[in-house]
Amino acid sequence: MALTLLRGMRTPVSLRSNTGLFFNVLRPRLSHFTTRAESAQATEPKAVPKSIQLATKEAAEQKTQGFEAIIGIETHVQLSTVTKAFCSCPYDYGSQPNSTICPTCMGHPGTLPVLNEKVVECAVKLGLALNCEISMTSKFDRKQYFYPDLPKGYQISQFDIPIAKKGYVDLDLPVEFGGGHRKFGITRVHMEEDAGKLLHSESGSYSQVDLNRAGVPLLEIVSEPDMRTGIEAAEYGAELQRIVRYLGVSNGNMQEGSLRCDVNVSVRPVGQSEFGTKVEIKNMNSFSEINRAIDYEISRQIMLHKEGQADQIVQETRLWDESSQKTFTMRKKEGLADYRYFPEPDLPEVVLTTDYIDEISKSMPELPEASVAHFFDSTLEHGADAKLACNWIMSDIAAYLKNEKLSIHETKLTPLELSELIASIKNGTISGKIGKEILFELIAKGGTVKGVIEEKDLVQIADPAAIEAMVDKVIADNPKQLEQYRAGKTKLQGFFAGQVMKTSKGKANPVLLNKSLERS
Amino acid sequence: MPPPLQAHRLLISHRRLPTPARRRLTAVSSLQSAPATTLAPGPATSSILSIRESLLSGERTAANITSDYLSRLRRTEPSLRSFIHVADAAAEREAEELDRRIASGEKDAVGPLAGVLVGVKDNLCTKNMPSTGGSRILDGYRPAYDATAVRRLREAGAIVVGKTNLDEFGMGSTTEGSAFQVTTNPWDDSRVPGGSSGGSASAVSARQCVVSLGSDTGGSVRQPASFCGVVGLKPTYGRVSRFGLMAYASSLDVVGCFGSSVFDTATILSVVAGHDKMDSTSSSQDVPDYTSELVSLDLLESKPLNGLRIGIIQETLGEGVDTGVVSSIKGAASYLEQLGSVVDEVSLPSFSLGLPAYYILASSEASSNLSRYDGIRYGRQVSANDLNEIYGESRANGLGHEVKMRILMGTYALSAGYYDAYYKRAQQVRTLVKESFKDALEKYDILISPAAPSAAYKIGEKINDPLAMYAGDIMTVNVNLAGLPALVVPCGFVEGGPVGLPVGLQMIGSPFSEGSLLRVGHIFEQTLQNFSFVPPLLAER
């Protein structure tokens, strides 16, 4: 079936012809910095002296004099549900093209969508985390357009009644960018399905369709046009990333496209109440790129205004080009696209109860305070698994902080060591139980995971032969219990396990231990 | 003018008879599956029941029964062209396999539909069998799965004998809209069988198969049932899963069934109905055994419909309705009175609004549902120089005239600036239609009307006059807008063709009242005398 999918098709001309159009008008200052939530994704140099950053900021202010930028962001978050939104196919990023597809997500005749209830759960979680009103009754609609990555010729989305609306995000800007508290409005959060991917041939003579991603659930988060600078927009994006990771609804990975931001930018003279013509920018793969793309676009638009060429700012979609640090026209929007939305007749309305919402609300992790959030972000930057990091921070570390009435920065634990700890447990060097011991050691005294392991000789014993030997010894030492065990008192397996653990000082790998005991 | 036939009143019992009696009667009733020349006139008998009993008694083999049907199919198919695809070899193989299992004493071999040959409308997906929807764009397409209704039939032991012809994707009322062939009416081969499920109706009428599946979006089961003189049932919306039915208008589409008797139709419904997790719009209401309410003729009281309140819809007997049809329906109404019911005229004020609302809503949904036929992933793709051309040419070549017209109408109705005036307004009309039916069905148990304003008309007669064809749907579309169940049973004849043309009586009930519709239809069918709805085609030779 995969073969029938990959049929020859010429690449649409519109996609190829637009790179390399005009715009050598402006050369924006490169403001090199990374926002804090950016994990290891950003490839540009990270540490830039503060003085340069400040200079950049001042320069930006200089440039915007007399003008004000209006920025709104549409964010697509891909949900990490086990199956797709409307069929039971799994989705794994990077798997063989057309390997996770079925008649339904391929849009075969006669197939029907069946809503994955986890999608609703994720939407409600995020809606609540973004302080939204949750719609007790919402519905799905069809957004219609033709494109080869869209199997049905329409996308199942939500149009006039989104599942959540009218929320906001609170955040603090980093001190190095002037600091300050910001509250950005959230217009709506709605559920929809992702499209597939087109793989264009190098010759450009054909394209191939990969439908693995078709039907993967997305939440689209639309912000109010509340942001004024690139850094505000980037911080807003970073905050969303943090929230979806904390909630566990998405891995928020921008490189894999699990979190995608489309930014709308317009400028207007300060004091003018109506908005200028807005331009949409896509193709930013990190928050730093979002920041720079926006600042570039703002300067471009202001320059056109100042040169009396404001009429050259047209409603269009522009792509950020990281190599040239510029935005380029991708397509002009001639009039408004007519998606001919209408209610999806194949799906019943989504009706929620207050009990359902309460239940979800109770199950949600408490969103972290800013300092903990930053600690979490840094831990991820060191490569830690988001879910595990969240668990450690929200349970053991949070409990410790609460008991000791400390803030996370007042402890000796560093994000690097936490990520090391998580990795050591994941790769089996130490057990989870020992991990906890080490954690408290690190919090109280500092040091490194490796150091503590070596110092206390805590490496997990994962050598079956060594464990076997200990088991044999314990059995030999306890003939009475062995007799009882053989007589049918099988509960005594726990006793033996306990004895081995005692001898090994808790270092015996429990899985191997039990296996060994069962054999003996 | 009805054909001059004397009723033979075959006493067929479906239940409540002691076993010896049943066996004796079965021998007589098995005539239905016997060669055409021996088909006897009289009240419709259950072919499914007789097949089942002759298999159980060892009187006949499935191979034998199948070969009877197939030989009749081969004889009649050149003039009828009911089937787009005939799976005769597979049917014979499945029948032999069934015989082998019966012979080896396998307990479950004789499922409720064991050895029953079914025709399946070609817009229902059948695994490893072509499924074209009557469209050039799906020529050669073989689905990877069975539609739920088909799967349930197969699980009950039915044998799919082939895929029946239809108007492309169900859009049409004559089956002339098929990309492949024109099906004729078994009562007169110069006439249409109706549509869009014309192939399914014609196949059952000519006993090319025992029963068949169709789909009904605006009357596509009921009107051809009326034209071909067979029983046709449009279930309540959601009663039968739509999974595997190529969507035309999702909020109106229903999988329906055809049989040569009410009993057979009820049997099929019992098998295919019920919730399906693959169709979120399918109902989780319990499915009764629809045959258990059907009372055999010899056990009927003299006034079996005592207490039943029937409303005859005024608006369906006025201008534009054939006088012969009107008198058939009035005759049927007075016969229902004789059976003990009370029949009153009832007015549905929103009735005439239904037709335009239907065509807007159905076309709107169709414009969206048919977007997937783009030639990219399956079906016919035209090679082209750019993307727009691939779409444009593939669809221009693959889709037929009527389908393109409805896509255009639907696209227009959903466009910015027109949505409120068309789509939204049509939805409001739909609500009105629903309410007026609800009111009427509070006063009456059943509403009756013709299933079509005329009997079968000539092939080509309306092919260039789509509005005249659309107008022919006036009797049926309101029922789809309201999502109600409706049963069509043959009730009389009008002049035309060699021996007259059948007319169907439509009976409409409240949601999920299929059981009572079938009960009343069964009484009507079993007691109606002097009519035989076996087409002359089968007596020839």
Side-chain angles (χ1 to χ4, degrees):
Chain A
M1 193 165 287
L3 275 178
T4 61
L5 271 176
L6 297 169
R7 306 204 310 195
M9 186 184 61
R10 301 283 185 94
T11 316
V13 178
S14 62
L15 271 187
R16 286 181 281 131
S17 57
N18 285 324
T19 39
L21 281 183
F22 61 102
F23 285 122
N24 37 12
V25 193
L26 284 174
R27 181 170 292 271
R29 280 158 198 267
L30 300 184
S31 36
H32 276 301
F33 62 84
T34 41
T35 44
R36 295 159 311 190
E38 224 148 70
S39 44
Q41 303 159 4
T43 48
E44 69 274 8
K46 284 204 166 184
V48 173
K50 255 185 189 162
S51 56
I52 295 184
Q53 290 173 354
L54 285 174
T56 313
K57 185 169 166 283
E58 276 160 24
E61 272 168 14
Q62 199 70 33
K63 251 187 335 192
T64 60
Q65 215 169 35
F67 287 91
E68 174 187 40
I70 309 291
I71 302 158
I73 302 184
E74 285 168 21
T75 311
H76 286 92
V77 173
Q78 200 177 73
L79 300 179
S80 43
T81 50
V82 178
T83 57
K84 293 185 181 181
F86 301 112
C87 64
S88 49
C89 289
Y91 174 65
D92 296 304
Y93 178 81
S95 50
Q96 215 33 35
N98 296 313
S99 59
T100 54
I101 54 174
C102 72
T104 299
C105 58
M106 287 174 76
H108 268 246
T111 55
L112 296 170
V114 177
L115 177 61
N116 177 350
E117 59 179 2
K118 282 280 172 198
V119 176
V120 179
E121 193 183 312
C122 291
V124 171
K125 271 187 187 172
L126 185 62
L128 291 172
L130 295 176
N131 310 295
C132 289
E133 287 173 17
I134 306 292
S135 308
M136 301 306 283
T137 303
S138 68
K139 65 180 174 76
F140 285 98
D141 301 274
R142 292 184 182 175
K143 177 181 180 175
Q144 312 191 62
Y145 61 94
F146 282 105
Y147 205 63
D149 64 7
L150 191 69
K152 300 187 291 298
Y154 56 83
Q155 177 194 34
I156 302 178
S157 181
Q158 294 194 290
F159 181 51
D160 49 348
I161 313 176
I163 189 150
K165 56 179 192 278
K166 293 183 187 162
Y168 60 87
V169 172
D170 266 320
L171 55 86
D172 292 310
L173 291 181
V175 193
E176 58 265 39
F177 299 108
H181 182 80
R182 294 287 188 277
K183 182 172 173 178
F184 299 128
I186 301 290
T187 314
R188 56 185 281 161
V189 177
H190 72 250
M191 304 177 275
E192 60 184 29
E193 58 177 338
D194 211 340
K197 270 181 191 164
L198 286 194
L199 313 165
H200 302 292
S201 68
E202 273 178 35
S203 65
S205 61
Y206 66 93
S207 299
Q208 294 172 307
V209 188
D210 174 9
L211 293 180
N212 279 349
R213 204 178 65 179
V216 170
L218 299 176
L219 292 180
E220 180 174 327
I221 304 138
V222 182
S223 83
E224 289 289 301
D226 285 351
M227 286 142 270
R228 296 291 174 268
T229 64
I231 191 70
E232 285 185 356
E235 284 299 322
Y236 163 84
E239 180 66 17
L240 282 187
Q241 186 187 54
R242 212 175 279 139
I243 290 171
V244 298
R245 284 175 171 175
Y246 252 96
L247 296 174
V249 302
S250 169
N251 68 20
N253 188 328
M254 292 183 84
Q255 297 284 288
E256 291 177 8
S258 307
L259 189 138
R260 313 192 277 268
C261 292
D262 300 339
V263 178
N264 284 302
V265 180
S266 66
V267 301
R268 65 182 175 195
V270 170
Q272 181 183 306
S273 61
E274 60 271 23
F275 293 138
T277 306
K278 76 175 175 198
V279 168
E280 187 183 36
I281 325 173
K282 288 176 184 274
N283 198 35
M284 289 84 70
N285 288 316
S286 67
F287 299 117
S288 159
E289 285 182 40
I290 289 177
N291 181 4
R292 281 176 278 123
I294 290 173
D295 283 347
Y296 169 84
E297 184 59 24
I298 293 172
S299 341
R300 186 186 74 89
Q301 291 186 23
I302 290 175
M303 186 71 91
L304 287 170
H305 269 283
K306 282 187 170 166
E307 290 172 352
Q309 294 181 352
D311 57 340
Q312 296 218 355
I313 304 170
V314 290
Q315 218 179 48
E316 61 177 344
T317 300
R318 299 176 71 85
L319 289 183
W320 171 248
D321 178 40
E322 178 66 8
S323 58
S324 64
Q325 299 286 311
K326 286 177 187 170
T327 64
F328 292 102
T329 299
M330 179 174 108
R331 59 166 181 260
K332 306 254 185 213
K333 290 187 177 170
E334 286 157 12
L336 230 66
D338 185 355
Y339 291 118
R340 304 190 313 281
Y341 280 102
F342 80 105
E344 165 60 279
D346 288 333
L347 290 168
E349 288 180 325
V350 179
V351 180
L352 308 177
T353 61
T354 39
D355 284 353
Y356 176 82
I357 295 173
D358 289 348
E359 202 60 37
I360 289 179
S361 174
K362 265 184 243 159
S363 76
M364 279 166 52
E366 199 181 324
L367 291 175
E369 284 176 26
S371 60
V372 178
H374 294 160
F375 190 90
F376 170 71
D377 292 339
S378 316
T379 309
L380 298 196
E381 269 179 56
H382 291 295
D385 179 289
K387 198 169 176 187
L388 294 175
C390 177
N391 286 343
W392 280 100
I393 293 175
M394 294 317 287
S395 56
D396 296 299
I397 299 176
Y400 181 89
L401 297 177
K402 203 174 166 194
N403 279 339
E404 305 292 318
K405 296 201 167 55
L406 289 175
S407 86
I408 198 152
H409 294 303
E410 291 167 303
T411 73
K412 302 253 169 70
L413 181 69
T414 66
L416 175 65
E417 290 311 316
L418 179 59
S419 77
E420 288 285 326
L421 183 68
I422 291 168
S424 306
I425 297 168
K426 218 176 168 185
N427 68 23
T429 313
I430 53 171
S431 67
K433 191 161 166 268
I434 297 229
K436 266 189 196 179
E437 274 178 43
I438 298 178
L439 176 76
F440 294 119
E441 187 85 14
L442 293 174
I443 291 178
K445 297 181 189 157
T448 64
V449 177
K450 274 196 187 109
V452 178
I453 291 175
E454 270 167 34
E455 182 189 322
K456 304 204 154 186
D457 186 23
L458 291 175
V459 178
Q460 180 163 275
I461 300 169
D463 173 9
I467 291 179
E468 198 106 357
M470 281 189 276
V471 169
D472 290 345
K473 184 168 183 300
V474 166
I475 289 175
D477 290 350
N478 298 283
K480 217 187 249 170
Q481 281 83 354
L482 181 65
E483 211 168 289
Q484 287 174 342
Y485 181 81
R486 291 219 168 114
K489 218 172 162 190
T490 48
K491 275 185 190 162
L492 278 171
Q493 183 169 335
F495 163 79
F496 290 113
Q499 291 300 309
V500 176
M501 275 299 182
K502 208 166 154 191
T503 350
S504 72
K505 297 192 188 102
K507 292 186 294 177
N509 179 310
V511 178
L512 291 174
L513 169 59
N514 275 323
K515 265 190 198 153
S516 171
L517 277 171
E518 272 155 29
R519 269 198 306 274
S520 300
Chain B
M1 190 187 69
L5 293 170
Q6 280 300 314
H8 281 226
R9 303 207 59 180
L10 294 180
L11 295 183
I12 297 309
S13 160
H14 306 308
R15 51 181 220 129
R16 295 188 195 171
L17 282 186
T19 326
R22 177 177 284 182
R23 188 158 296 152
R24 184 170 50 79
L25 291 171
T26 306
V28 186
S29 67
S30 67
L31 283 172
Q32 277 293 302
S33 56
T37 41
T38 63
L39 282 169
T45 57
S46 166
S47 308
I48 292 179
L49 213 58
S50 67
I51 289 172
R52 183 174 171 73
E53 303 205 342
S54 51
L55 286 179
L56 282 174
S57 65
E59 199 177 327
R60 305 188 67 190
T61 63
N64 186 243
I65 294 167
T66 301
S67 114
D68 267 1
Y69 274 96
L70 285 177
S71 66
R72 192 153 51 235
L73 189 151
R74 289 185 190 113
R75 179 165 65 84
T76 52
E77 187 59 8
S79 74
L80 288 179
R81 296 182 293 275
S82 317
F83 286 88
I84 294 178
H85 174 76
V86 178
D88 45 357
E92 281 164 353
R93 217 171 35 242
E94 283 174 49
E96 281 161 19
E97 166 69 13
L98 174 62
D99 286 332
R100 197 190 54 72
R101 288 172 58 201
I102 292 173
S104 68
E106 275 182 53
K107 261 189 187 170
D108 303 328
V110 188
L113 295 180
V116 172
L117 266 63
V118 300
V120 175
K121 191 179 181 180
D122 206 30
N123 61 353
L124 283 157
C125 288
T126 43
K127 193 174 181 177
N128 301 325
M129 212 184 265
S131 303
T132 66
S135 181
R136 197 64 72 191
I137 208 162
L138 286 181
D139 198 4
Y141 174 70
R142 282 168 187 262
Y145 69 100
D146 269 336
T148 300
V150 173
R151 178 175 57 76
R152 288 181 174 165
L153 287 179
R154 284 187 159 148
E155 284 168 3
I159 297 171
V160 176
V161 70
K163 303 302 294 290
T164 59
N165 198 23
L166 70 160
D167 289 294
E168 187 173 3
F169 292 121
M171 299 181 192
S173 311
T174 64
T175 313
E176 293 165 288
S178 164
F180 304 108
Q181 65 208 34
V182 174
T183 299
T184 65
N185 190 312
W187 293 84
D188 176 359
D189 65 8
S190 68
R191 289 173 191 271
V192 299
S196 64
S197 311
S200 287
S202 142
V204 168
S205 171
R207 277 48 169 186
Q208 293 179 313
C209 55
V210 182
V211 287
S212 63
L213 289 182
S215 67
D216 190 315
T217 307
S220 286
V221 163
R222 291 160 287 158
Q223 181 253 27
S226 176
F227 279 18
C228 292
V230 295
V231 178
L233 177 70
K234 177 234 175 266
T236 309
Y237 181 78
R239 177 73 297 183
V240 181
S241 167
R242 292 185 293 117
F243 185 72
L245 170 66
M246 297 174 187
Y248 159 19
S250 315
S251 72
L252 301 162
D253 292 342
V254 187
V255 174
C257 13
F258 293 95
S260 54
S261 65
V262 171
F263 190 92
D264 284 355
T265 312
T267 308
I268 296 301
L269 182 66
S270 302
V271 171
V272 297
H275 181 253
D276 175 16
K277 66 177 176 24
M278 300 302 283
D279 176 3
S280 311
T281 63
S282 66
S283 167
S284 45
Q285 281 248 350
D286 285 343
V287 180
D289 175 359
Y290 293 106
T291 58
S292 69
E293 288 295 306
L294 307 183
V295 181
S296 68
L297 187 56
D298 51 336
L299 292 177
L300 285 181
E301 306 149 18
S302 60
K303 299 271 182 198
L305 297 184
N306 245 344
L308 189 78
R309 299 163 304 166
I310 296 179
I312 182 163
I313 304 172
Q314 253 173 28
E315 287 80 1
T316 63
L317 298 173
E319 212 183 320
V321 186
D322 209 271
T323 50
V325 170
V326 173
S327 54
S328 280
I329 299 302
K330 287 193 168 160
S334 60
Y335 182 59
L336 287 166
E337 276 181 326
Q338 280 178 41
L339 291 172
S341 66
V342 179
V343 182
D344 286 333
E345 284 208 351
V346 58
S347 172
L348 294 178
S350 60
F351 196 83
S352 63
L353 301 175
L355 195 64
Y358 166 80
Y359 271 96
I360 288 170
L361 294 176
S363 301
S364 297
E365 292 186 24
S367 73
S368 174
N369 283 328
L370 270 61
S371 299
R372 68 185 59 195
Y373 305 116
D374 56 8
I376 304 284
R377 299 166 309 288
Y378 49 79
R380 279 160 66 115
Q381 184 185 77
V382 171
S383 64
N385 291 318
D386 66 39
L387 187 58
N388 275 337
E389 209 179 311
I390 286 185
Y391 281 126
E393 293 295 304
S394 297
R395 286 166 69 80
N397 284 294
L399 299 175
H401 179 75
E402 181 64 32
V403 168
K404 278 185 251 186
M405 188 154 72
R406 295 197 195 189
I407 290 174
L408 286 175
M409 290 197 295
T411 305
Y412 184 82
L414 289 176
S415 294
Y418 299 98
Y419 181 89
D420 287 356
Y422 293 104
Y423 183 84
K424 204 168 162 192
R425 204 165 157 75
Q427 284 289 23
Q428 289 161 347
V429 170
R430 185 176 188 173
T431 308
L432 283 181
V433 169
K434 262 186 204 166
E435 281 166 3
S436 78
F437 267 115
K438 191 161 179 274
D439 291 346
L441 284 166
E442 271 164 16
K443 292 194 202 93
Y444 300 96
D445 301 308
I446 284 178
L447 303 175
I448 59 172
S449 79
S454 71
Y457 42 86
K458 294 276 188 183
I459 289 169
E461 194 177 321
K462 296 190 180 174
I463 205 162
N464 293 317
D465 190 355
L467 286 181
M469 193 177 77
Y470 295 175
D473 297 340
I474 181 79
M475 302 296 172
T476 45
V477 292
N478 283 285
V479 175
N480 294 81
L481 290 174
L484 303 173
L487 177 71
V488 169
V489 287
C491 71
F493 288 88
V494 296
E495 274 185 62
V499 294
L501 299 167
V503 172
L505 169 71
Q506 174 174 231
M507 302 191 283
I508 304 162
S510 303
F512 302 103
S513 68
E514 285 85 353
S516 50
L517 290 179
L518 289 162
R519 187 181 69 86
V520 175
H522 185 249
I523 291 169
F524 180 87
E525 168 199 78
Q526 292 296 306
T527 57
L528 191 67
Q529 294 184 33
N530 300 327
F531 292 113
S532 166
F533 294 96
V534 177
L537 181 77
L538 297 182
E540 290 165 10
R541 197 164 89 162

